[in-house]
Amino acid sequence: MPVTAIIGAQWGDEGKGGVVDYLAQDADAVVRFQGGANAGHTVIYKGEPLALHLLPCGIVHERPICVIANGVVVDLEALIEEIRLVGERGMSVTPQRLKISDRAHLTLPYHRLLDGQRESADSPSRIGTTQRGVGPTYVDKVDRIGIRFLDFIRPDDLKKKLKRNWEMKAGQCGSLAGGGEVTAETLLHSLLSYYETVVQYAEVTDTVVVLNQMVADGKRILLEGAQGTGLDVDFGTYPYVTSSSTTAGGACIGTGIPPSRITQVFGVAKAYTTRVGEGPFPTEMTAGIQEEIRRRGREYGATTGRPRRCGWFDAVLVRYARMINGFTGLILTKLDILSGLPEVPIAVAYEWQGRHLTLLPADTRVLAECKPVYEILPGWTEIKRSLRKWSDLPDNARRFADRISQLAGVPVAFVSIGPERDAVLFPDEADSFWG
Ligand code: IMO
Ligand code: MG
């Protein structure tokens, strides 16, 4: 039975939350494998939007267990707040349903401070992060000084580690931390109390074993990617990226599920493109239309509330994402938002120094100099949200989806035409996803 990865094909915010929510109804496990509270995955729960940051989107369904796997960096304060919010909305989070990897690293207050400091307005190395401390947490992981859930088993060791780390970091972030009120002892004290709270709602366990057992038992596992291919630390628009492997390979690293066991990889792309934060964006729209699409698509960050930059569909980026991730299908979201435009451009290549590029260049400075080459497709008037059949889509909307599929080199698995869970259309009459 399939182990399915859901991966962002652009710069994040592709609508992965809605897709995972839809597929999670029939899944046995929904797994976050990288990133942290920088993610903002929106699902509709009882008619109202719910933004999840650390909890897998499967939490809104009865059937699947939810796993925060080893590749995720966990901010306990943020997780507790999210469990509280989800509880208020009537969902119960229990250790039977929520599993956290004992190998997962913790985001501590000093990571958030360091992230914020680097991002201060006058900093030359500003990249427009979400300031959730995610980058500095991964720095410590790779530097081999990170604090993991495993460390709570030996509080004395934890105390020593924390003391050593704080001595190293205090100089860097002491002034921001409020004039020396923070000490290794106060950090330890609050960390232990957060941990005591979290274990009332989640089981900390060896999720590598749990997940591989589920694979062996033929269970349906949904791997919920965060961010997107353009933000991958290796393959994205470095340095304007996040600090983790957001691509399909990252799903193996971040869970311990071997590559040979991943059976399907679905790329999620919006019918246009958005980006939050700094970094080149070849298909960014001109101001007027950009505001219009932002308004229609409600393109404001689910984590930070920042307005997202909006652009046309970039087939160069999505083709590149297909190559890196080996997409077996593409899920196209928010097709309805483009309705009513007389013409819909798609970037089919970039022009750079008289050359045509058809894949993302490695050098982000080159990308910044690229001019998109557009193919102009005719628009469509309206997509009724009540549509449930592919053949009922306006002809030009279908042509748009078909052209994207052709340019990206991957079949369209389904499209979404609204935020509701069932606002999805399958081009094949067979609409069973799990096979
Ligand atoms: P989801 O999962 C969109 C962007 C930030 C910034 C860069 C680095 O909702 O798609 P970080 O805080 O990760 O160090 O910031 O990455 N970014 C996202 N953009 N969607 C996200 O997550 C993002 N998570 C991080 O805006 O440009
Ligand atoms: Mg988001």
Side-chain angles (χ1 to χ4, degrees), residues 11-13 16 38-41 128-130 226-227 231 241-242 276 306:
W11 281 290
D13 302 325
K16 298 178 294 291
N38 51 353
H41 295 178
T129 75
T130 60
Q227 290 83 50
L231 292 170
V241 293
T242 193
V276 210
R306 289 180 291 177

Side-chain angles (χ1 to χ4, degrees), residues 360-382:
L360 216 66
D363 189 338
T364 300
R365 291 163 298 192
V366 170
L367 183 65
E369 293 165 6
C370 285
K371 296 272 169 291
V373 178
Y374 287 117
E375 186 175 297
I376 310 291
L377 273 66
W380 54 90
T381 47
E382 194 194 359

Side-chain angles (χ1 to χ4, degrees), residues 99-411:
K99 312 287 176 192
I100 303 178
S101 169
D102 51 7
R103 290 176 174 86
H105 282 247
L106 293 157
T107 295
L108 298 173
Y110 50 78
H111 295 126
R112 287 195 301 259
L113 289 169
L114 289 169
D115 199 354
Q117 193 173 46
R118 230 193 95 144
E119 286 293 312
S120 62
D122 53 351
S123 162
S125 54
R126 226 180 105 76
I127 48 176
T129 75
T130 60
Q131 303 197 30
R132 294 300 183 270
V134 169
T137 311
Y138 281 116
V139 168
D140 281 4
K141 173 176 176 173
V142 178
D143 201 16
R144 295 152 296 181
I145 60 166
I147 309 275
R148 301 193 289 171
F149 276 89
L150 274 170
D151 291 313
F152 286 105
I153 299 168
R154 296 169 202 253
D156 286 346
D157 279 1
L158 174 63
K159 192 174 168 181
K160 274 188 222 146
K161 275 183 133 183
L162 209 51
K163 192 162 183 294
R164 188 194 59 194
N165 286 4
W166 180 240
E167 277 163 9
M168 262 194 293
K169 315 266 179 193
Q172 283 169 282
C173 55
S175 57
L176 286 162
E181 288 157 23
V182 181
T183 63
E185 280 70 30
T186 57
L187 277 177
L188 180 70
H189 185 75
S190 55
L191 197 56
L192 290 174
S193 101
Y194 292 139
Y195 180 74
E196 289 311 318
T197 305
V198 163
V199 293
Q200 291 169 32
Y201 300 98
E203 183 191 4
V204 176
T205 183
D206 190 340
T207 58
V208 175
V209 174
V210 173
L211 289 170
N212 275 289
Q213 189 59 51
M214 290 185 82
V215 172
D217 293 342
K219 301 287 189 193
R220 294 169 173 180
I221 299 176
L222 204 52
L223 303 169
E224 175 180 349
Q227 290 83 50
T229 304
L231 292 170
D232 184 277
V233 67
D234 280 88
F235 306 111
T237 47
Y238 193 89
Y240 304 105
V241 293
T242 193
S243 303
S244 67
S245 299
T246 61
T247 39
C252 298
I253 307 288
T255 58
I257 297 175
S260 58
R261 293 309 185 115
I262 296 190
T263 45
Q264 316 187 80
V265 182
F266 285 87
V268 186
K270 265 196 288 227
Y272 47 100
T273 314
T274 61
R275 165 157 219 178
V276 210
E278 312 298 320
F281 186 179
T283 65
E284 191 161 11
M285 293 163 175
T286 51
I289 180 72
Q290 181 159 175
E291 273 156 37
E292 173 65 12
I293 296 296
R294 182 180 302 128
R295 187 187 60 75
R296 287 195 200 182
R298 297 191 187 157
E299 296 298 349
Y300 294 89
T303 300
T304 58
R306 289 180 291 177
R308 296 177 183 144
R309 299 156 69 192
C310 301
W312 300 113
F313 189 88
D314 186 343
V316 180
L317 174 63
V318 176
R319 186 187 291 128
Y320 174 78
R322 187 264 296 151
M323 178 178 77
I324 300 283
N325 295 286
F327 293 149
T328 53
L330 189 69
I331 296 165
L332 205 55
T333 63
K334 290 192 156 179
L335 196 57
D336 53 315
I337 302 299
L338 298 181
S339 298
L341 300 178
E343 293 179 328
V344 188
I346 297 178
V348 294
Y350 299 148
E351 197 180 295
W352 181 71
Q353 297 191 348
R355 282 161 51 194
H356 266 212
L357 310 184
T358 54
L359 290 169
L360 216 66
D363 189 338
T364 300
R365 291 163 298 192
V366 170
L367 183 65
E369 293 165 6
C370 285
K371 296 272 169 291
V373 178
Y374 287 117
E375 186 175 297
I376 310 291
L377 273 66
W380 54 90
T381 47
E382 194 194 359
I383 297 178
K384 290 204 176 62
R385 281 186 176 173
S386 53
L387 285 193
R388 291 297 173 265
K389 269 171 66 191
W390 186 260
S391 52
D392 292 340
L393 271 176
D395 288 347
N396 286 342
R398 250 183 296 131
R399 282 190 197 116
F400 177 76
D402 287 345
R403 184 65 181 133
I404 283 176
S405 163
Q406 198 178 40
L407 287 165
V410 53

